[in-house]
Amino acid sequence: MYGEPLAKLLKIMPKSSKEERIKALIFRRRQQIWVHSMIYYYYNANIVSDMTWSQWGEDLECLQNMYPDLSRQVPYYEEFKDFDHSTGQNLPKDNEQINAKAEYLLKININKYGRNI
């Protein structure tokens, strides 16, 4: 069950209130999913494995379902309010911050491996 790794992750996050840790993880997963979906669907590349992306997606879906009130307080709520971990293809393609992060990660990986991914 994907809840166990999620519970462990919440325990090792920096000390703060439980609600703040949950909100921080929701935000982190939203950014990871959106950035890597952009890399995959828009740039036709892949940096993380499908298994990793799926785990992030399951984590996010679980968190949003378990903590809907907290989820609404986290940035990008509207973009992820109907997210079901099956795909990131329908996420908006016009967010400057997300696009900049995707391009940065692609550049790092191109430099790291000396080739396009």
Side-chain angles (χ1 to χ4, degrees), residues 66-111:
M66 289 175 63
Y67 306 101
D69 293 336
L70 293 177
S71 176
R72 282 189 276 283
Q73 299 172 32
V74 177
Y76 308 134
Y77 170 74
E78 285 299 318
E79 292 83 354
F80 282 89
K81 67 181 176 184
D82 297 321
F83 182 75
D84 71 358
H85 90 268
S86 64
T87 184
Q89 185 174 10
N90 56 352
L91 293 168
K93 310 261 187 297
D94 59 353
N95 183 288
E96 288 183 32
Q97 288 180 317
I98 296 298
N99 291 342
K101 287 179 184 185
E103 289 172 8
Y104 176 73
L105 287 174
L106 282 170
K107 184 177 181 179
I108 288 173
N109 280 277
I110 289 169
N111 291 338

Side-chain angles (χ1 to χ4, degrees), residues 10 22-23 27 30 35 39 53 77 83 86 94-95 116:
L10 283 169
I22 291 166
K23 286 167 43 177
F27 185 58
R30 285 178 180 170
V35 166
I39 290 170
W53 191 97
Y77 170 74
F83 182 75
S86 64
D94 59 353
N95 183 288
N116 287 332

Side-chain angles (χ1 to χ4, degrees), residues 25-71:
L25 186 54
I26 289 170
F27 185 58
R28 179 178 177 182
R29 289 295 185 246
R30 285 178 180 170
Q31 288 184 73
Q32 289 170 316
I33 289 166
W34 200 354
V35 166
H36 288 281
S37 292
M38 283 297 299
I39 290 170
Y40 186 80
Y41 291 109
Y42 186 73
Y43 295 102
N44 198 29
N46 198 9
I47 295 174
V48 299
S49 69
D50 290 343
M51 189 169 88
T52 297
W53 191 97
S54 292
Q55 183 65 55
W56 292 342
E58 290 174 356
D59 288 353
L60 180 60
E61 184 178 0
C62 180
L63 287 164
Q64 292 186 149
N65 288 333
M66 289 175 63
Y67 306 101
D69 293 336
L70 293 177
S71 176

